Amino acid sequence: MYHPFFLLILILFLAKLVPIAYIQGMKIGFDAKRAFFNNTGLGNYSRSTIAGLSTYFPHNSYILYTPKPHRAKYQTAAKNVLIKGPKNIFYKKFQSLWRTHGIPSEVKQDKIDIFHGLSNEIPFGIEKTGIPAIASICDIIFIHYPELYKPIDRNVYKKKLSNAIENASRIITISKQTKDDLVLTCNVNEDQIRVVYLACASVYWNPVTLTARQQILQKYKLPAEFILNVGTIEKRKNILSVIKAMHIRQIRYPLVIVGRSTPYLDEVRAYISDNRIRDIHILTNVPFEDLPALYQQARLFVYPSIYEGFGMPILEAMVSNTPVITTKGGCFEEAGGPYTVYIDPQNPEQIGDAIRYLLDNGSYCEYMVNAGLVHAEQFKLKNIAAATMAVYKEVL
């Protein structure tokens, strides 16, 4: 029989290794508005974070705070996830105010162990509750490209970012580039930042049947083979450089562009018209569920974006067995790894040469696909959930 003193030492030692909150299960709260109402970007990030944690760490409870839970597009059947909205009449009427200032009191009442703001912000006053807060900051595009935002929106984003930097126990960035951006541009202490990459949605890993792919081709009236680009059709995404590249290098191959339109699309269409370029298909209203088939059907994926927080379409193409050409440096190489072709996004000739090389070298494309899948393993949901939980553990 063990001596009581020995048992006491053993208990204290184990308590250091496994915090009590982990034995009992934690209560984790999220600012989850984007998970419910955004179809892309921050919405996808929020949904994958919640899904990963609730799936691979089921002993915890997850409370999702969202202004309009009854109108949400996103729902979950997970038993360890609870959805909550504003309770009193005032905050039901002024829901944006509840999200920025009302949530802290509810977080305290709900006895949350840790709070995670998933979309570049945390509520004002959360620091007064004594509950540690995590802020995910995916990018600071509004600082680098202010012309893409209304002045009032830029001011709001700036205040929210400043609050997150000042009051979050830790900041999670989705790339080393965004981490460096915060350190250099916003003077954030790098010890406050942890890099946790995005998870590539499981739907992209699953093969789409030939029949289903053919149905998508018929739905959008597309050719059997094409080069693909996915992303908002805006100047920062730089799709015009791809069109110029194919025109300058006389690459007669169908190009499919998928994304939400902006005024930049007029500039794109004007170039196509002025140069009488054919076989370019622009799809501006493609639902999420159709994307895997388009990725898997594409011969190549070209993504010459100027600036991103991470560049998720690179991964989506990679796990869809599609060779990728993208921008040299920064987060693009973090996502694409060593098995992607990198180009200067401002050099149409270089982009055209890369496209021509891959179209003419099927064996190298096959090597890129096989090696790229190995690189992409680190971005599976299970691994990202574990990395996120490690940040929570560190804070607690």
Side-chain angles (χ1 to χ4, degrees), residues 108-155:
K108 194 169 184 179
Q109 289 174 13
D110 292 335
K111 297 181 179 178
I112 295 295
D113 292 300
I114 195 163
F115 184 86
H116 190 168
L118 293 168
S119 51
N120 298 355
E121 61 184 287
I122 55 176
F124 291 89
I126 190 77
E127 71 281 0
K128 297 177 183 177
T129 65
I131 297 167
I134 307 292
S136 283
I137 298 177
C138 297
D139 60 61
I140 51 173
I141 294 172
F142 76 95
I143 294 177
H144 292 291
Y145 293 88
E147 69 276 9
L148 298 177
Y149 301 85
K150 297 176 182 177
I152 189 171
D153 290 337
R154 291 201 304 269
N155 290 333

mmCIF file of all heavy atoms in Angstrom, residues 108-155:
data_model
loop_
_atom_site.group_PDB
_atom_site.id
_atom_site.type_symbol
_atom_site.label_atom_id
_atom_site.label_comp_id
_atom_site.label_asym_id
_atom_site.label_seq_id
_atom_site.Cartn_x
_atom_site.Cartn_y
_atom_site.Cartn_z
ATOM 1 N N LYS A 108 -19.685 35.601 -18.719
ATOM 2 C CA LYS A 108 -19.438 35.467 -17.274
ATOM 3 C C LYS A 108 -20.532 34.641 -16.608
ATOM 4 O O LYS A 108 -20.262 33.772 -15.775
ATOM 5 C CB LYS A 108 -19.338 36.854 -16.636
ATOM 6 C CG LYS A 108 -18.757 36.829 -15.237
ATOM 7 C CD LYS A 108 -18.431 38.228 -14.756
ATOM 8 C CE LYS A 108 -17.760 38.182 -13.383
ATOM 9 N NZ LYS A 108 -17.401 39.536 -12.905
ATOM 10 N N GLN A 109 -21.785 34.905 -16.974
ATOM 11 C CA GLN A 109 -22.902 34.138 -16.416
ATOM 12 C C GLN A 109 -22.813 32.656 -16.781
ATOM 13 O O GLN A 109 -23.154 31.775 -15.985
ATOM 14 C CB GLN A 109 -24.234 34.707 -16.920
ATOM 15 C CG GLN A 109 -24.600 36.063 -16.342
ATOM 16 C CD GLN A 109 -25.852 36.632 -16.980
ATOM 17 O OE1 GLN A 109 -26.584 35.933 -17.683
ATOM 18 N NE2 GLN A 109 -26.107 37.921 -16.753
ATOM 19 N N ASP A 110 -22.347 32.391 -17.997
ATOM 20 C CA ASP A 110 -22.255 31.007 -18.469
ATOM 21 C C ASP A 110 -21.023 30.277 -17.929
ATOM 22 O O ASP A 110 -20.813 29.098 -18.227
ATOM 23 C CB ASP A 110 -22.219 30.973 -20.000
ATOM 24 C CG ASP A 110 -23.535 31.416 -20.623
ATOM 25 O OD1 ASP A 110 -24.579 31.286 -19.957
ATOM 26 O OD2 ASP A 110 -23.518 31.893 -21.780
ATOM 27 N N LYS A 111 -20.186 30.995 -17.174
ATOM 28 C CA LYS A 111 -18.992 30.421 -16.554
ATOM 29 C C LYS A 111 -18.064 29.778 -17.595
ATOM 30 O O LYS A 111 -17.601 28.637 -17.460
ATOM 31 C CB LYS A 111 -19.374 29.404 -15.478
ATOM 32 C CG LYS A 111 -20.147 30.029 -14.330
ATOM 33 C CD LYS A 111 -20.511 29.017 -13.262
ATOM 34 C CE LYS A 111 -21.277 29.689 -12.110
ATOM 35 N NZ LYS A 111 -21.687 28.717 -11.070
ATOM 36 N N ILE A 112 -17.815 30.567 -18.640
ATOM 37 C CA ILE A 112 -16.925 30.121 -19.704
ATOM 38 C C ILE A 112 -15.485 30.072 -19.190
ATOM 39 O O ILE A 112 -15.060 30.945 -18.436
ATOM 40 C CB ILE A 112 -17.026 31.093 -20.898
ATOM 41 C CG1 ILE A 112 -18.428 31.055 -21.506
ATOM 42 C CG2 ILE A 112 -15.976 30.795 -21.947
ATOM 43 C CD1 ILE A 112 -18.801 29.744 -22.134
ATOM 44 N N ASP A 113 -14.730 29.057 -19.601
ATOM 45 C CA ASP A 113 -13.325 28.948 -19.209
ATOM 46 C C ASP A 113 -12.410 29.758 -20.119
ATOM 47 O O ASP A 113 -11.401 30.297 -19.664
ATOM 48 C CB ASP A 113 -12.879 27.478 -19.235
ATOM 49 C CG ASP A 113 -13.561 26.667 -18.151
ATOM 50 O OD1 ASP A 113 -13.385 27.012 -16.965
ATOM 51 O OD2 ASP A 113 -14.282 25.710 -18.487
ATOM 52 N N ILE A 114 -12.774 29.829 -21.399
ATOM 53 C CA ILE A 114 -11.968 30.577 -22.359
ATOM 54 C C ILE A 114 -12.877 31.037 -23.496
ATOM 55 O O ILE A 114 -13.817 30.333 -23.880
ATOM 56 C CB ILE A 114 -10.794 29.711 -22.879
ATOM 57 C CG1 ILE A 114 -9.757 30.578 -23.579
ATOM 58 C CG2 ILE A 114 -11.271 28.595 -23.778
ATOM 59 C CD1 ILE A 114 -8.414 29.879 -23.753
ATOM 60 N N PHE A 115 -12.594 32.229 -24.026
ATOM 61 C CA PHE A 115 -13.416 32.791 -25.100
ATOM 62 C C PHE A 115 -12.548 32.987 -26.334
ATOM 63 O O PHE A 115 -11.419 33.467 -26.254
ATOM 64 C CB PHE A 115 -14.026 34.133 -24.674
ATOM 65 C CG PHE A 115 -14.957 34.720 -25.717
ATOM 66 C CD1 PHE A 115 -16.286 34.348 -25.759
ATOM 67 C CD2 PHE A 115 -14.490 35.632 -26.653
ATOM 68 C CE1 PHE A 115 -17.149 34.864 -26.706
ATOM 69 C CE2 PHE A 115 -15.335 36.160 -27.613
ATOM 70 C CZ PHE A 115 -16.671 35.778 -27.645
ATOM 71 N N HIS A 116 -13.110 32.633 -27.497
ATOM 72 C CA HIS A 116 -12.349 32.708 -28.751
ATOM 73 C C HIS A 116 -13.120 33.538 -29.772
ATOM 74 O O HIS A 116 -14.195 33.149 -30.225
ATOM 75 C CB HIS A 116 -12.115 31.296 -29.294
ATOM 76 C CG HIS A 116 -11.158 31.246 -30.443
ATOM 77 N ND1 HIS A 116 -10.626 30.062 -30.909
ATOM 78 C CD2 HIS A 116 -10.618 32.212 -31.239
ATOM 79 C CE1 HIS A 116 -9.823 30.306 -31.921
ATOM 80 N NE2 HIS A 116 -9.817 31.611 -32.149
ATOM 81 N N GLY A 117 -12.565 34.688 -30.133
ATOM 82 C CA GLY A 117 -13.123 35.494 -31.215
ATOM 83 C C GLY A 117 -12.573 34.995 -32.537
ATOM 84 O O GLY A 117 -11.369 35.089 -32.792
ATOM 85 N N LEU A 118 -13.433 34.489 -33.386
ATOM 86 C CA LEU A 118 -12.989 33.788 -34.594
ATOM 87 C C LEU A 118 -12.793 34.693 -35.804
ATOM 88 O O LEU A 118 -12.323 34.225 -36.838
ATOM 89 C CB LEU A 118 -14.012 32.695 -34.950
ATOM 90 C CG LEU A 118 -14.119 31.533 -33.952
ATOM 91 C CD1 LEU A 118 -15.345 30.687 -34.266
ATOM 92 C CD2 LEU A 118 -12.858 30.679 -34.000
ATOM 93 N N SER A 119 -13.170 35.972 -35.696
ATOM 94 C CA SER A 119 -13.164 36.806 -36.907
ATOM 95 C C SER A 119 -12.526 38.171 -36.669
ATOM 96 O O SER A 119 -13.173 39.201 -36.773
ATOM 97 C CB SER A 119 -14.587 36.963 -37.441
ATOM 98 O OG SER A 119 -15.472 37.392 -36.427
ATOM 99 N N ASN A 120 -11.247 38.146 -36.291
ATOM 100 C CA ASN A 120 -10.433 39.365 -36.182
ATOM 101 C C ASN A 120 -10.846 40.297 -35.053
ATOM 102 O O ASN A 120 -10.467 41.473 -35.065
ATOM 103 C CB ASN A 120 -10.460 40.155 -37.503
ATOM 104 C CG ASN A 120 -9.872 39.388 -38.666
ATOM 105 O OD1 ASN A 120 -9.360 38.289 -38.499
ATOM 106 N ND2 ASN A 120 -9.939 39.952 -39.849
ATOM 107 N N GLU A 121 -11.614 39.821 -34.082
ATOM 108 C CA GLU A 121 -12.047 40.703 -33.003
ATOM 109 C C GLU A 121 -12.469 39.901 -31.777
ATOM 110 O O GLU A 121 -12.722 38.696 -31.851
ATOM 111 C CB GLU A 121 -13.225 41.558 -33.461
ATOM 112 C CG GLU A 121 -14.457 40.741 -33.859
ATOM 113 C CD GLU A 121 -15.583 41.611 -34.401
ATOM 114 O OE1 GLU A 121 -16.219 42.311 -33.591
ATOM 115 O OE2 GLU A 121 -15.815 41.588 -35.632
ATOM 116 N N ILE A 122 -12.516 40.574 -30.642
ATOM 117 C CA ILE A 122 -13.121 40.061 -29.428
ATOM 118 C C ILE A 122 -14.026 41.158 -28.879
ATOM 119 O O ILE A 122 -13.844 42.333 -29.207
ATOM 120 C CB ILE A 122 -12.062 39.657 -28.369
ATOM 121 C CG1 ILE A 122 -11.119 40.828 -28.071
ATOM 122 C CG2 ILE A 122 -11.288 38.422 -28.809
ATOM 123 C CD1 ILE A 122 -10.105 40.545 -26.975
ATOM 124 N N PRO A 123 -15.030 40.829 -28.060
ATOM 125 C CA PRO A 123 -15.930 41.862 -27.552
ATOM 126 C C PRO A 123 -15.191 42.885 -26.680
ATOM 127 O O PRO A 123 -14.252 42.533 -25.960
ATOM 128 C CB PRO A 123 -16.948 41.069 -26.725
ATOM 129 C CG PRO A 123 -16.862 39.671 -27.236
ATOM 130 C CD PRO A 123 -15.434 39.478 -27.644
ATOM 131 N N PHE A 124 -15.620 44.117 -26.736
ATOM 132 C CA PHE A 124 -15.076 45.150 -25.860
ATOM 133 C C PHE A 124 -15.515 44.856 -24.428
ATOM 134 O O PHE A 124 -16.674 44.567 -24.167
ATOM 135 C CB PHE A 124 -15.575 46.536 -26.290
ATOM 136 C CG PHE A 124 -15.021 46.995 -27.605
ATOM 137 C CD1 PHE A 124 -15.663 46.689 -28.800
ATOM 138 C CD2 PHE A 124 -13.837 47.730 -27.651
ATOM 139 C CE1 PHE A 124 -15.142 47.103 -30.019
ATOM 140 C CE2 PHE A 124 -13.310 48.153 -28.863
ATOM 141 C CZ PHE A 124 -13.966 47.836 -30.056
ATOM 142 N N GLY A 125 -14.566 44.887 -23.511
ATOM 143 C CA GLY A 125 -14.870 44.635 -22.105
ATOM 144 C C GLY A 125 -14.679 43.198 -21.679
ATOM 145 O O GLY A 125 -14.849 42.881 -20.500
ATOM 146 N N ILE A 126 -14.289 42.308 -22.575
ATOM 147 C CA ILE A 126 -14.098 40.905 -22.208
ATOM 148 C C ILE A 126 -12.996 40.769 -21.165
ATOM 149 O O ILE A 126 -13.030 39.876 -20.310
ATOM 150 C CB ILE A 126 -13.777 40.050 -23.459
ATOM 151 C CG1 ILE A 126 -13.818 38.547 -23.122
ATOM 152 C CG2 ILE A 126 -12.434 40.417 -24.062
ATOM 153 C CD1 ILE A 126 -15.189 37.987 -22.994
ATOM 154 N N GLU A 127 -12.028 41.693 -21.191
ATOM 155 C CA GLU A 127 -10.907 41.612 -20.243
ATOM 156 C C GLU A 127 -11.356 41.853 -18.807
ATOM 157 O O GLU A 127 -10.702 41.415 -17.852
ATOM 158 C CB GLU A 127 -9.808 42.617 -20.642
ATOM 159 C CG GLU A 127 -10.132 44.077 -20.421
ATOM 160 C CD GLU A 127 -11.023 44.678 -21.501
ATOM 161 O OE1 GLU A 127 -11.401 43.952 -22.454
ATOM 162 O OE2 GLU A 127 -11.342 45.888 -21.399
ATOM 163 N N LYS A 128 -12.489 42.530 -18.617
ATOM 164 C CA LYS A 128 -12.984 42.819 -17.275
ATOM 165 C C LYS A 128 -13.630 41.607 -16.615
ATOM 166 O O LYS A 128 -13.876 41.610 -15.410
ATOM 167 C CB LYS A 128 -13.980 43.982 -17.330
ATOM 168 C CG LYS A 128 -13.359 45.294 -17.800
ATOM 169 C CD LYS A 128 -14.405 46.385 -17.915
ATOM 170 C CE LYS A 128 -13.783 47.682 -18.463
ATOM 171 N NZ LYS A 128 -14.801 48.753 -18.649
ATOM 172 N N THR A 129 -13.932 40.576 -17.379
ATOM 173 C CA THR A 129 -14.573 39.386 -16.823
ATOM 174 C C THR A 129 -13.581 38.451 -16.138
ATOM 175 O O THR A 129 -13.985 37.567 -15.389
ATOM 176 C CB THR A 129 -15.271 38.584 -17.941
ATOM 177 O OG1 THR A 129 -14.280 38.084 -18.850
ATOM 178 C CG2 THR A 129 -16.273 39.458 -18.693
ATOM 179 N N GLY A 130 -12.282 38.639 -16.436
ATOM 180 C CA GLY A 130 -11.278 37.725 -15.894
ATOM 181 C C GLY A 130 -11.159 36.442 -16.697
ATOM 182 O O GLY A 130 -10.376 35.552 -16.354
ATOM 183 N N ILE A 131 -11.931 36.328 -17.773
ATOM 184 C CA ILE A 131 -11.894 35.142 -18.637
ATOM 185 C C ILE A 131 -10.891 35.378 -19.762
ATOM 186 O O ILE A 131 -10.996 36.383 -20.467
ATOM 187 C CB ILE A 131 -13.292 34.857 -19.218
ATOM 188 C CG1 ILE A 131 -14.276 34.532 -18.085
ATOM 189 C CG2 ILE A 131 -13.244 33.714 -20.230
ATOM 190 C CD1 ILE A 131 -15.728 34.553 -18.508
ATOM 191 N N PRO A 132 -9.914 34.505 -19.932
ATOM 192 C CA PRO A 132 -8.932 34.720 -21.005
ATOM 193 C C PRO A 132 -9.590 34.659 -22.381
ATOM 194 O O PRO A 132 -10.489 33.841 -22.615
ATOM 195 C CB PRO A 132 -7.935 33.570 -20.816
ATOM 196 C CG PRO A 132 -8.666 32.543 -20.020
ATOM 197 C CD PRO A 132 -9.644 33.269 -19.164
ATOM 198 N N ALA A 133 -9.133 35.531 -23.273
ATOM 199 C CA ALA A 133 -9.707 35.601 -24.616
ATOM 200 C C ALA A 133 -8.629 35.341 -25.661
ATOM 201 O O ALA A 133 -7.485 35.792 -25.522
ATOM 202 C CB ALA A 133 -10.349 36.964 -24.850
ATOM 203 N N ILE A 134 -9.011 34.626 -26.695
ATOM 204 C CA ILE A 134 -8.166 34.374 -27.853
ATOM 205 C C ILE A 134 -8.771 35.132 -29.034
ATOM 206 O O ILE A 134 -9.987 35.116 -29.220
ATOM 207 C CB ILE A 134 -8.121 32.879 -28.209
ATOM 208 C CG1 ILE A 134 -7.736 32.033 -26.989
ATOM 209 C CG2 ILE A 134 -7.181 32.619 -29.380
ATOM 210 C CD1 ILE A 134 -6.340 32.225 -26.518
ATOM 211 N N ALA A 135 -7.945 35.770 -29.840
ATOM 212 C CA ALA A 135 -8.438 36.439 -31.046
ATOM 213 C C ALA A 135 -7.762 35.834 -32.268
ATOM 214 O O ALA A 135 -6.536 35.818 -32.354
ATOM 215 C CB ALA A 135 -8.161 37.940 -30.987
ATOM 216 N N SER A 136 -8.554 35.320 -33.190
ATOM 217 C CA SER A 136 -8.008 34.868 -34.473
ATOM 218 C C SER A 136 -7.981 36.052 -35.431
ATOM 219 O O SER A 136 -9.017 36.678 -35.675
ATOM 220 C CB SER A 136 -8.867 33.746 -35.068
ATOM 221 O OG SER A 136 -8.614 32.528 -34.427
ATOM 222 N N ILE A 137 -6.818 36.370 -35.951
ATOM 223 C CA ILE A 137 -6.678 37.453 -36.925
ATOM 224 C C ILE A 137 -6.161 36.825 -38.217
ATOM 225 O O ILE A 137 -5.015 36.376 -38.288
ATOM 226 C CB ILE A 137 -5.739 38.556 -36.415
ATOM 227 C CG1 ILE A 137 -6.337 39.175 -35.136
ATOM 228 C CG2 ILE A 137 -5.519 39.619 -37.482
ATOM 229 C CD1 ILE A 137 -5.469 40.230 -34.492
ATOM 230 N N CYS A 138 -7.026 36.781 -39.210
ATOM 231 C CA CYS A 138 -6.706 36.056 -40.439
ATOM 232 C C CYS A 138 -5.919 36.900 -41.421
ATOM 233 O O CYS A 138 -5.123 36.371 -42.198
ATOM 234 C CB CYS A 138 -7.992 35.548 -41.086
ATOM 235 S SG CYS A 138 -8.862 34.351 -40.036
ATOM 236 N N ASP A 139 -6.144 38.206 -41.423
ATOM 237 C CA ASP A 139 -5.396 39.095 -42.302
ATOM 238 C C ASP A 139 -5.664 40.531 -41.887
ATOM 239 O O ASP A 139 -6.541 40.800 -41.066
ATOM 240 C CB ASP A 139 -5.789 38.893 -43.775
ATOM 241 C CG ASP A 139 -7.272 39.162 -44.026
ATOM 242 O OD1 ASP A 139 -7.719 40.309 -43.796
ATOM 243 O OD2 ASP A 139 -7.988 38.237 -44.452
ATOM 244 N N ILE A 140 -4.879 41.458 -42.455
ATOM 245 C CA ILE A 140 -5.132 42.888 -42.251
ATOM 246 C C ILE A 140 -5.186 43.565 -43.623
ATOM 247 O O ILE A 140 -4.549 44.575 -43.866
ATOM 248 C CB ILE A 140 -4.091 43.538 -41.313
ATOM 249 C CG1 ILE A 140 -2.656 43.223 -41.764
ATOM 250 C CG2 ILE A 140 -4.302 43.106 -39.882
ATOM 251 C CD1 ILE A 140 -1.592 43.984 -40.957
ATOM 252 N N ILE A 141 -5.998 42.980 -44.485
ATOM 253 C CA ILE A 141 -6.150 43.486 -45.851
ATOM 254 C C ILE A 141 -6.638 44.928 -45.841
ATOM 255 O O ILE A 141 -6.234 45.736 -46.675
ATOM 256 C CB ILE A 141 -7.108 42.580 -46.655
ATOM 257 C CG1 ILE A 141 -6.489 41.197 -46.834
ATOM 258 C CG2 ILE A 141 -7.421 43.199 -48.021
ATOM 259 C CD1 ILE A 141 -7.424 40.177 -47.450
ATOM 260 N N PHE A 142 -7.503 45.270 -44.885
ATOM 261 C CA PHE A 142 -8.054 46.631 -44.854
ATOM 262 C C PHE A 142 -6.969 47.687 -44.634
ATOM 263 O O PHE A 142 -7.157 48.855 -44.986
ATOM 264 C CB PHE A 142 -9.145 46.734 -43.777
ATOM 265 C CG PHE A 142 -8.636 46.805 -42.366
ATOM 266 C CD1 PHE A 142 -8.449 48.029 -41.738
ATOM 267 C CD2 PHE A 142 -8.357 45.647 -41.654
ATOM 268 C CE1 PHE A 142 -7.986 48.100 -40.431
ATOM 269 C CE2 PHE A 142 -7.900 45.706 -40.351
ATOM 270 C CZ PHE A 142 -7.711 46.934 -39.740
ATOM 271 N N ILE A 143 -5.829 47.282 -44.071
ATOM 272 C CA ILE A 143 -4.712 48.217 -43.895
ATOM 273 C C ILE A 143 -3.900 48.333 -45.186
ATOM 274 O O ILE A 143 -3.517 49.420 -45.607
ATOM 275 C CB ILE A 143 -3.807 47.777 -42.727
ATOM 276 C CG1 ILE A 143 -4.577 47.888 -41.399
ATOM 277 C CG2 ILE A 143 -2.527 48.617 -42.675
ATOM 278 C CD1 ILE A 143 -3.796 47.409 -40.189
ATOM 279 N N HIS A 144 -3.652 47.195 -45.828
ATOM 280 C CA HIS A 144 -2.821 47.190 -47.032
ATOM 281 C C HIS A 144 -3.579 47.657 -48.272
ATOM 282 O O HIS A 144 -2.976 48.213 -49.195
ATOM 283 C CB HIS A 144 -2.259 45.792 -47.266
ATOM 284 C CG HIS A 144 -1.260 45.371 -46.236
ATOM 285 N ND1 HIS A 144 -0.015 45.947 -46.128
ATOM 286 C CD2 HIS A 144 -1.332 44.437 -45.245
ATOM 287 C CE1 HIS A 144 0.645 45.378 -45.129
ATOM 288 N NE2 HIS A 144 -0.130 44.460 -44.582
ATOM 289 N N TYR A 145 -4.878 47.400 -48.304
ATOM 290 C CA TYR A 145 -5.693 47.782 -49.455
ATOM 291 C C TYR A 145 -6.924 48.566 -48.995
ATOM 292 O O TYR A 145 -8.057 48.094 -49.123
ATOM 293 C CB TYR A 145 -6.103 46.540 -50.260
ATOM 294 C CG TYR A 145 -4.935 45.867 -50.917
ATOM 295 C CD1 TYR A 145 -4.210 44.892 -50.242
ATOM 296 C CD2 TYR A 145 -4.523 46.227 -52.200
ATOM 297 C CE1 TYR A 145 -3.108 44.287 -50.832
ATOM 298 C CE2 TYR A 145 -3.431 45.630 -52.799
ATOM 299 C CZ TYR A 145 -2.721 44.662 -52.109
ATOM 300 O OH TYR A 145 -1.622 44.066 -52.696
ATOM 301 N N PRO A 146 -6.718 49.753 -48.444
ATOM 302 C CA PRO A 146 -7.840 50.533 -47.903
ATOM 303 C C PRO A 146 -8.887 50.892 -48.947
ATOM 304 O O PRO A 146 -10.060 51.087 -48.609
ATOM 305 C CB PRO A 146 -7.157 51.788 -47.343
ATOM 306 C CG PRO A 146 -5.850 51.882 -48.070
ATOM 307 C CD PRO A 146 -5.436 50.471 -48.314
ATOM 308 N N GLU A 147 -8.482 50.963 -50.221
ATOM 309 C CA GLU A 147 -9.424 51.346 -51.278
ATOM 310 C C GLU A 147 -10.533 50.312 -51.478
ATOM 311 O O GLU A 147 -11.565 50.604 -52.105
ATOM 312 C CB GLU A 147 -8.680 51.572 -52.604
ATOM 313 C CG GLU A 147 -8.096 50.330 -53.243
ATOM 314 C CD GLU A 147 -6.719 49.935 -52.706
ATOM 315 O OE1 GLU A 147 -6.272 50.540 -51.706
ATOM 316 O OE2 GLU A 147 -6.092 49.021 -53.281
ATOM 317 N N LEU A 148 -10.346 49.111 -50.945
ATOM 318 C CA LEU A 148 -11.366 48.073 -51.080
ATOM 319 C C LEU A 148 -12.475 48.209 -50.054
ATOM 320 O O LEU A 148 -13.469 47.473 -50.107
ATOM 321 C CB LEU A 148 -10.718 46.683 -50.936
ATOM 322 C CG LEU A 148 -9.659 46.307 -51.974
ATOM 323 C CD1 LEU A 148 -9.072 44.938 -51.652
ATOM 324 C CD2 LEU A 148 -10.258 46.301 -53.375
ATOM 325 N N TYR A 149 -12.328 49.157 -49.113
ATOM 326 C CA TYR A 149 -13.280 49.280 -48.016
ATOM 327 C C TYR A 149 -13.802 50.707 -47.894
ATOM 328 O O TYR A 149 -13.097 51.668 -48.210
ATOM 329 C CB TYR A 149 -12.614 48.875 -46.684
ATOM 330 C CG TYR A 149 -12.080 47.469 -46.682
ATOM 331 C CD1 TYR A 149 -10.800 47.179 -47.178
ATOM 332 C CD2 TYR A 149 -12.842 46.420 -46.192
ATOM 333 C CE1 TYR A 149 -10.310 45.886 -47.188
ATOM 334 C CE2 TYR A 149 -12.349 45.122 -46.192
ATOM 335 C CZ TYR A 149 -11.096 44.861 -46.688
ATOM 336 O OH TYR A 149 -10.608 43.577 -46.698
ATOM 337 N N LYS A 150 -15.015 50.830 -47.418
ATOM 338 C CA LYS A 150 -15.577 52.145 -47.134
ATOM 339 C C LYS A 150 -14.852 52.729 -45.915
ATOM 340 O O LYS A 150 -14.458 51.979 -45.003
ATOM 341 C CB LYS A 150 -17.070 52.035 -46.837
ATOM 342 C CG LYS A 150 -17.896 51.517 -48.009
ATOM 343 C CD LYS A 150 -19.351 51.340 -47.595
ATOM 344 C CE LYS A 150 -20.170 50.767 -48.749
ATOM 345 N NZ LYS A 150 -21.573 50.528 -48.347
ATOM 346 N N PRO A 151 -14.696 54.065 -45.867
ATOM 347 C CA PRO A 151 -13.994 54.690 -44.729
ATOM 348 C C PRO A 151 -14.571 54.300 -43.374
ATOM 349 O O PRO A 151 -13.815 54.037 -42.424
ATOM 350 C CB PRO A 151 -14.160 56.185 -45.001
ATOM 351 C CG PRO A 151 -14.293 56.285 -46.481
ATOM 352 C CD PRO A 151 -15.052 55.058 -46.907
ATOM 353 N N ILE A 152 -15.889 54.245 -43.267
ATOM 354 C CA ILE A 152 -16.500 53.895 -41.974
ATOM 355 C C ILE A 152 -16.150 52.465 -41.575
ATOM 356 O O ILE A 152 -15.909 52.167 -40.395
ATOM 357 C CB ILE A 152 -18.038 54.097 -42.019
ATOM 358 C CG1 ILE A 152 -18.623 53.936 -40.606
ATOM 359 C CG2 ILE A 152 -18.704 53.150 -43.016
ATOM 360 C CD1 ILE A 152 -20.073 54.333 -40.506
ATOM 361 N N ASP A 153 -16.099 51.558 -42.558
ATOM 362 C CA ASP A 153 -15.741 50.166 -42.260
ATOM 363 C C ASP A 153 -14.281 50.061 -41.821
ATOM 364 O O ASP A 153 -13.958 49.315 -40.884
ATOM 365 C CB ASP A 153 -15.977 49.284 -43.484
ATOM 366 C CG ASP A 153 -17.454 49.101 -43.799
ATOM 367 O OD1 ASP A 153 -18.273 49.261 -42.869
ATOM 368 O OD2 ASP A 153 -17.791 48.823 -44.959
ATOM 369 N N ARG A 154 -13.409 50.802 -42.489
ATOM 370 C CA ARG A 154 -11.985 50.778 -42.101
ATOM 371 C C ARG A 154 -11.803 51.236 -40.663
ATOM 372 O O ARG A 154 -11.020 50.633 -39.911
ATOM 373 C CB ARG A 154 -11.164 51.681 -43.029
ATOM 374 C CG ARG A 154 -11.035 51.181 -44.449
ATOM 375 C CD ARG A 154 -9.827 51.820 -45.143
ATOM 376 N NE ARG A 154 -9.874 53.279 -45.129
ATOM 377 C CZ ARG A 154 -10.421 54.020 -46.079
ATOM 378 N NH1 ARG A 154 -11.015 53.440 -47.113
ATOM 379 N NH2 ARG A 154 -10.388 55.340 -46.007
ATOM 380 N N ASN A 155 -12.522 52.283 -40.273
ATOM 381 C CA ASN A 155 -12.410 52.795 -38.889
ATOM 382 C C ASN A 155 -12.894 51.769 -37.880
ATOM 383 O O ASN A 155 -12.287 51.594 -36.821
ATOM 384 C CB ASN A 155 -13.197 54.097 -38.752
ATOM 385 C CG ASN A 155 -12.548 55.256 -39.492
ATOM 386 O OD1 ASN A 155 -11.333 55.262 -39.686
ATOM 387 N ND2 ASN A 155 -13.336 56.230 -39.914
#
